[in-house]
């Protein structure tokens, strides 16, 4: 495989990838970034193992490790991959990923469905406010539809019948964990649980605002922090060029 990129950004939520774009646009001005996308088919069982295996196939013939990054469920996939194939990962950057990686927005949604006897639509509308703050009615309607679609497409194993859990712990390579102080899903208490596993070279950073998709609302601020972390752990191409590079792989 060509080593034509420094950073691999994962996305396992096709309907939500629009919220990654502002940050990726900013980062691509300084680093060569590839996007790897995974879309679960309707016939597949909900599991991140298939995504991890396909990602390994994609990176199998790459000569050098990459900076791996992802938000939410995509970050949980990146974390699982980094633990299984550490030789392929130069550093790991997680956004809105709890120390218990399965504690994502979908777990938050299903917990509310179990706790309260209210409809799917009302819980999704409440979830929109939690994830994005108060939005105009027409925007809320579009976001409800997007979250509803993500419940169908995401490889998350959560359901109304049970919430699943993934192994807690750190990784061998340098890791950066990012969150938002106003995120009710990966809230500061949940985020700070990562301190139990961080190494001296690791970094935990909190955005003052922005809710669950803080990187969408504050792409430059988030991007500056991530770039600073990557530059402390350079790959062989890190300083070679600031040329933007982007690709997409299903």
């Amino acid at each position: 495989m060509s080593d034509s990129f420094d950073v691999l950004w994962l996305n396992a939520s096709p309907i939500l990838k629009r919220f990654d774009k502002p940050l990726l646009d900013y980062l691509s001005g300084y680093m060569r970034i590839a996007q790897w996308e995974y879309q679960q088919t309707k016939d597949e069982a909900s599991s991140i193992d298939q995504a991890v295996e396909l990602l390994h196939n994609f990176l199998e013939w790459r000569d050098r490790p990459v900076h791996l990054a992802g938000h939410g469920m995509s970050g949980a996939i990146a974390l699982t991959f980094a633990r299984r194939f550490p030789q392929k990962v130069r550093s790991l950057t997680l956004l809105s990923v709890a120390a218990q990686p399965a504690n994502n927005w979908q777990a938050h949604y299903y917990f509310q469905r179990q706790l309260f006897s209210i409809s799917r639509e009302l819980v999704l509308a409440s979830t929109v406010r939690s994830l994005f703050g108060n939005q105009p009615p027409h925007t809320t309607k579009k976001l409800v539809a997007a979250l509803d679609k993500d419940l169908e497409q995401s490889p998350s194993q959560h359901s109304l019948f049970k919430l699943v859990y993934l192994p807690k712990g750190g990784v061998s390579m340098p890791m950066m964990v990012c969150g938002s102080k106003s995120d009710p899903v990966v809230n500061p208490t949940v985020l700070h649980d990562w301190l139990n596993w961080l190494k001296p070279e690791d970094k935990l950073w909190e955005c003052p605002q922005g809710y669950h998709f803080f990187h969408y609302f504050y792409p430059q601020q988030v991007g500056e922090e991530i770039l600073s972390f990557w530059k402390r752990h350079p790959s062989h191409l890190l300083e070679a060029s600031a040329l933007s590079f982007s690709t997409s792989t299903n």
Side-chain angles (χ1 to χ4, degrees), residues 74-177:
S74 304
I77 292 172
L79 175 63
T80 303
F81 179 87
R83 289 170 175 168
R84 294 184 189 176
F85 306 103
Q87 72 280 7
K88 294 294 183 182
V89 183
R90 180 69 189 90
S91 75
L92 179 66
T93 303
L94 306 177
L95 289 79
S96 296
V97 177
Q100 169 43 258
N103 284 350
N104 54 22
W105 84 261
Q106 295 197 6
H108 185 73
Y109 162 82
Y110 284 117
F111 179 74
Q112 291 184 81
R113 289 292 308 275
Q114 293 174 351
L115 196 61
F116 305 108
S117 299
I118 53 179
S119 69
R120 179 183 179 104
E121 291 74 19
L122 286 176
V123 174
L124 283 173
S126 174
T127 302
V128 165
R129 290 191 294 272
S130 296
L131 300 184
F132 300 95
N134 291 323
Q135 299 292 330
H138 68 281
T139 303
T140 297
K141 185 176 181 180
K142 291 180 179 179
L143 290 172
V144 164
L147 295 184
D148 188 53
K149 191 72 171 178
D150 191 54
L151 286 172
E152 297 178 3
Q153 296 180 339
S154 172
S156 172
Q157 292 177 279
H158 297 308
S159 71
L160 283 174
F161 302 102
K162 70 172 184 176
L163 300 179
V164 300
Y165 299 95
L166 295 171
K168 299 175 72 172
V171 292
S172 59
M173 69 290 301
M175 176 172 66
M176 180 177 185
V177 180

